[in-house]
Amino acid sequence: MSFNTDKQTLDELNLMGKFRQGSVYHLFNKVKTRGGERLLDEMFRHPLTNADLINARSNVFLKFQEADLQFPFDEQQLVQMQEYIDSDSGSNAGMVLVKTAFKKVLSGLTRDERYRKSVQGLQACIVTLNRCDTFLGSVRSSLGAFDQRMEKVRRILNDKHLANLRNLDIYAALPVKTLAFYEHLLQNRMKGEIEDLMQFIYEIDLNIAVSNVAKQKKFRYAIALAPEANILSAGELRHPCIDGAVGNIVNMDEKQNVVFLTGANMAGKSTLMKSVGIALYIAHMGFPVAAAAMKFSVRDGLYSSINVADNIGLGYSHFYAEVVRVKQAADAAASGKRLLLMFDELFKGTNVKDAYDGTLAVTEAFAEYQECLFIVSTHIIEVGEALMQKNNIQFVFMPTVMEGVRPRYTYKLEQGITEDRQGMLIIRNEGILEMLKG
């Protein structure tokens, strides 16, 4: 099964984006190779939905982190090797020999570069194969499930032809016959094995990059549980892309599967919701999360409604766009999937009375789906008071501390419903009324 989400959620959580500053992808994109980046793309686009696979991948990252391994390969030589392997010199060994001899003749008569590139490609293969062997020899402890990959590559490197190739002097002039033999070997007879070895190198690149981010940022690896447990628990959970972000404790389970979050503007409600969503998403990838500890039941998907915009092309007002988004979430929840659904300021595009009625009705309805987890935030604290009889709803808030006439935000969750009402105070502090009167 695939992990279900949509573009709006990915955008709101700022998960994707190779060149987007502040994106979660950008945070982890420390790979050195094109192949490593392709693997990173694949993992970001396809989170896992099997607890055992998630935990196995997390364990590999952790083992790489503990081993403190360095990437031993030269990126330019890897590019040359990949281009060399991808070349098609033909499946017939005799024809490969003829073509190689012809390229050498042309290189002496004209400025044809193909023969020189073939030599450089083979040289890059020799260096890379030897560095791969050195890397395998440098690993002194288990790397978890990655041990199986290493054993497979050891068998490839122990092939007698590759062993002979690795002993060649890369600075010595190679006979045409030798060059043609290895070109046919690497591009045809052992092409599959060499491509697997290249994939192995890209996996090393990715594993080192992710584990280094975890070490530098002091991230931890979440523990994945079976879906039936219906748990999301994290200690000191924070936003991974905000330096110095404040951590919070988040606990959700089937007995209290709805978090009703209140607090003033700028108190940190949206950032908290994004932190939870990001952590759950990358935890399904097996990646380290910005928390002191975390365990979670595998979800079927994740949907958020944080920055809903109007849609001029479809003729949607802001309020109608919100309604459509809630309908999409309701369809997903009613389908029987185990999801995390997050709503920030439900129905803020309409009047206060309708927003109150809508938020109350929708939260009560969602609370009945106890196999899903929900986070709902609102300014309308009266809704929380009307929901007090629901045992599976937990009430938390982001406080505002007044220092004279200036608000200060702690960004630390507290139990209960806020009583903060500083909107008019902030308006007065900014001198807006005096400006208008003047």
Side-chain angles (χ1 to χ4, degrees):
M1 292 180 62
S2 60
F3 188 84
N4 296 289
T5 190
D6 62 4
K7 185 177 184 302
Q8 178 172 324
T9 302
L10 297 176
D11 289 344
E12 289 180 341
L13 301 182
N14 201 11
L15 283 161
M16 303 298 186
K18 175 180 177 181
F19 302 108
R20 185 187 298 170
Q21 290 292 330
S23 73
V24 181
Y25 182 97
H26 186 268
L27 174 68
F28 284 101
N29 188 19
K30 310 303 180 188
V31 294
K32 299 179 181 296
T33 65
R34 298 174 188 172
E37 191 167 81
R38 284 195 298 271
L39 284 174
L40 186 66
D41 288 344
E42 176 71 16
M43 290 183 182
F44 261 89
R45 296 187 184 282
H46 302 287
L48 302 171
T49 55
N50 179 284
D52 291 337
L53 294 178
I54 293 169
N55 291 330
R57 182 183 286 175
S58 292
N59 183 252
V60 169
F61 289 139
L62 176 60
K63 295 297 186 182
F64 266 83
Q65 184 176 335
E66 292 172 345
D68 195 25
L69 298 169
Q70 304 299 314
F71 189 66
F73 303 94
D74 180 89
E75 297 98 283
Q76 185 56 43
Q77 287 182 328
L78 290 174
V79 171
Q80 288 181 326
M81 181 174 177
Q82 189 68 66
E83 291 175 350
Y84 179 77
I85 299 304
D86 291 341
S87 301
D88 185 9
S89 58
S91 58
N92 184 281
M95 288 301 299
V96 173
L97 177 60
V98 171
K99 288 180 180 179
T100 304
F102 182 66
K103 285 189 290 187
K104 184 173 184 181
V105 172
L106 280 181
S107 69
L109 297 176
T110 67
R111 294 182 177 180
D112 192 294
E113 294 288 307
R114 288 177 295 171
Y115 183 78
R116 182 180 64 84
K117 285 187 175 181
S118 292
V119 173
Q120 290 177 337
L122 186 60
Q123 289 172 335
C125 289
I126 295 171
V127 172
T128 301
L129 291 172
N130 281 322
R131 288 189 177 182
C132 195
D133 183 64
T134 301
F135 173 83
L136 292 172
S138 70
V139 178
R140 303 300 182 188
S141 58
S142 171
L143 295 180
F146 201 71
D147 289 348
Q148 297 177 0
R149 294 288 289 127
M150 292 194 297
E151 187 56 38
K152 185 176 182 181
V153 170
R154 283 192 183 95
R155 291 196 295 270
I156 293 173
L157 292 175
N158 287 334
D159 176 86
K160 64 178 181 179
H161 295 305
L162 292 186
N164 291 334
L165 173 62
R166 286 165 44 210
N167 289 322
L168 289 179
D169 182 355
I170 63 170
Y171 300 107
L174 295 176
V176 170
K177 187 175 181 180
T178 301
L179 188 64
F181 172 80
Y182 285 113
E183 187 167 307
H184 182 255
L185 177 75
L186 299 176
Q187 297 178 12
N188 291 277
R189 286 169 52 192
M190 294 191 68
K191 186 178 181 68
E193 290 87 342
I194 299 302
E195 287 179 340
D196 192 42
L197 186 142
M198 293 296 292
Q199 182 72 8
F200 172 77
I201 293 172
Y202 299 145
E203 290 169 12
I204 292 172
D205 183 20
L206 176 71
N207 291 335
I208 290 176
V210 173
S211 63
N212 282 343
V213 171
K215 180 167 57 178
Q216 293 162 6
K217 297 288 185 177
K218 294 182 171 55
F219 291 173
R220 297 291 183 267
Y221 299 93
I223 299 173
L225 306 173
E228 296 75 20
N230 210 28
I231 290 173
L232 173 55
S233 176
E236 293 303 307
L237 178 68
R238 61 194 187 276
H239 196 293
C241 301
I242 299 177
D243 291 335
V246 175
N248 278 289
I249 297 173
V250 176
N251 286 308
M252 305 175 72
D253 56 37
E254 61 184 4
K255 293 181 180 179
Q256 285 199 310
N257 65 310
V258 180
V259 170
F260 190 82
L261 174 63
T262 53
N265 277 328
M266 300 190 295
K269 301 190 304 298
S270 298
T271 300
L272 175 68
M273 297 174 78
K274 291 177 181 179
S275 302
V276 174
I278 291 169
L280 185 73
Y281 190 92
I282 64 175
H284 278 79
M285 295 161 48
F287 276 42
V289 298
M294 177 174 168
K295 60 181 178 179
F296 68 100
S297 302
V298 172
R299 303 284 87 188
D300 294 317
L302 161 68
Y303 293 93
S304 68
S305 180
I306 298 174
N307 301 315
V308 179
D310 57 7
N311 192 318
I312 296 175
L314 293 176
Y316 289 0
S317 67
H318 181 87
F319 172 66
Y320 189 70
E322 288 183 295
V323 172
V324 170
R325 186 60 176 167
V326 172
K327 180 183 177 182
Q328 292 170 343
D331 286 341
S335 69
K337 292 185 174 69
R338 299 174 185 271
L339 307 167
L340 170 64
L341 300 167
M342 302 188 298
F343 303 92
D344 188 23
E345 299 294 343
L346 273 171
F347 308 126
K348 53 183 173 283
T350 189
N351 63 78
V352 175
K353 177 63 169 66
D354 284 343
Y356 170 88
D357 291 338
T359 301
L360 177 59
V362 167
T363 305
E364 284 182 323
F366 277 138
E368 299 301 319
Y369 291 93
Q370 291 187 283
E371 290 186 342
C372 291
L373 303 175
F374 301 91
I375 304 178
V376 178
S377 79
T378 183
H379 280 123
I380 309 172
I381 60 178
E382 292 80 6
V383 176
E385 295 165 359
L387 291 169
M388 281 294 185
Q389 75 280 6
K390 287 282 186 180
N391 294 327
N392 63 319
I393 299 179
Q394 54 177 303
F395 300 91
V396 295
F397 70 96
M398 288 291 201
T400 302
V401 178
M402 295 306 299
E403 297 177 340
V405 296
R406 294 290 175 182
R408 178 173 62 84
Y409 306 106
T410 68
Y411 308 118
K412 291 293 289 187
L413 271 179
E414 295 186 17
Q415 297 297 313
I417 300 174
T418 185
E419 295 182 359
D420 298 333
R421 297 180 185 271
Q422 285 91 27
M424 279 305 298
L425 183 60
I426 294 173
I427 291 172
R428 290 193 180 96
N429 285 345
E430 295 301 317
I432 294 174
L433 299 180
E434 288 78 2
M435 187 185 302
L436 292 173
K437 290 176 181 178

